[in-house]
Amino acid sequence: MDLIEQPGRQNRARHGGRRGLGRAIALNLAQAGARVALLARSGGELDQTAKQVREFSAGVLAIQADVSDPGQLSAAAGRACGELGDVDVLIKNAAVVTPLGASTGIDPAQWAAAIGVNVVAVAHLSFLLLPAMIANRWGRVVNISSGVAAHPAGMLRANAYATSKAALEAHTVNLAAELDGTGVTVNAFRPGMVDTAMQAFIRGQDPDQIGAELHQRFTTSYLEGTLISPQQSAQSLLTRLDSEDTGHIWDVSEPS
């Protein structure tokens, strides 16, 4: 069974939304015959995605939970395994891009909360589901990262987001080394500039608040039509799942 974290629309600063990468991944997996558990914060968005996924797979479970709450995350993992069986493929797409703005004006609690969602919750979910994968001698864990991890100065005034993605990749590589030889692979995926609600959210912010450079970068990418679709990015990721590679930072721009 595959478990996909798909953020909802209630917090527009989260990746995903109606055209999100999480939904595209879930649809592709269902079309391939997988049973899919969807985990998201927004019930409305979650139900909409689950309805679409059920057109291709009868084994679909929608779980509404806030990944920043350890109790809710543990309960969600337990429910997924209880109703659909052990998780074989875990793809974690949930993330927040906020807070945005000059770092000296950011509330440290908001900064820490972003790290909590983008790194701590990601690691926690892996730790919950890895024992069964290790026991079964097979599993695939993919953490959705960002090109900002390679170019942190590319998103000025998004310090929490840039920091979290760099940390996420370090977590990925370290965990992969720990699990080497178990049959479980752990990799990160940089999805590229995907046309998602996060992109629209940044374009809709006040340039004076988030910085003219960041706002201009995302606006220009949209206007010039250089964004790729969630389906394109999802397909690039899913073609790599059969690989035995582990500890890799996959990039959508590189051949799979």
Side-chain angles (χ1 to χ4, degrees), residues 46-134:
L46 180 65
D47 291 341
Q48 185 181 25
T49 298
K51 181 179 179 180
Q52 292 184 355
V53 176
R54 287 191 182 100
E55 295 178 9
F56 303 99
S57 174
V60 179
L61 177 63
I63 305 173
Q64 186 175 356
D66 185 345
V67 300
S68 67
D69 183 324
Q72 290 189 42
L73 197 59
S74 296
R79 183 183 170 195
C81 295
E83 296 191 29
L84 293 181
D86 290 341
V87 172
D88 301 306
V89 177
L90 174 60
I91 300 176
K92 291 163 287 180
N93 182 53
V96 293
V97 71
T98 53
L100 298 173
S103 294
T104 55
I106 295 297
D107 181 347
Q110 291 183 339
W111 193 95
I115 303 299
V117 171
N118 297 359
V119 183
V120 179
V122 169
H124 184 194
L125 188 55
S126 288
F127 300 157
L128 289 168
L129 298 174
L130 278 172
M133 292 185 186
I134 295 170

Side-chain angles (χ1 to χ4, degrees), residues 1 26 38 45 61 73 124 161 177 186 203 206 237 254:
M1 184 264 290
L38 299 163
E45 185 68 22
L61 177 63
L73 197 59
H124 184 194
Y161 183 74
V186 187
R203 294 195 302 269
D206 182 354
L237 167 58
E254 298 171 350

Side-chain angles (χ1 to χ4, degrees), residues 19-25 27-28 189-196 225-240 251-254 256:
R19 298 173 295 171
L21 180 60
R23 173 175 293 183
I25 293 171
L27 286 169
N28 275 271
F189 178 64
R190 297 173 182 168
M193 295 286 283
V194 185
D195 188 9
T196 64
T226 58
L227 301 179
I228 64 174
S229 71
Q231 291 75 20
Q232 288 173 293
S233 187
Q235 189 59 41
S236 174
L237 167 58
L238 295 177
T239 57
R240 305 168 195 261
D251 194 291
V252 68
S253 64
E254 298 171 350
S256 57

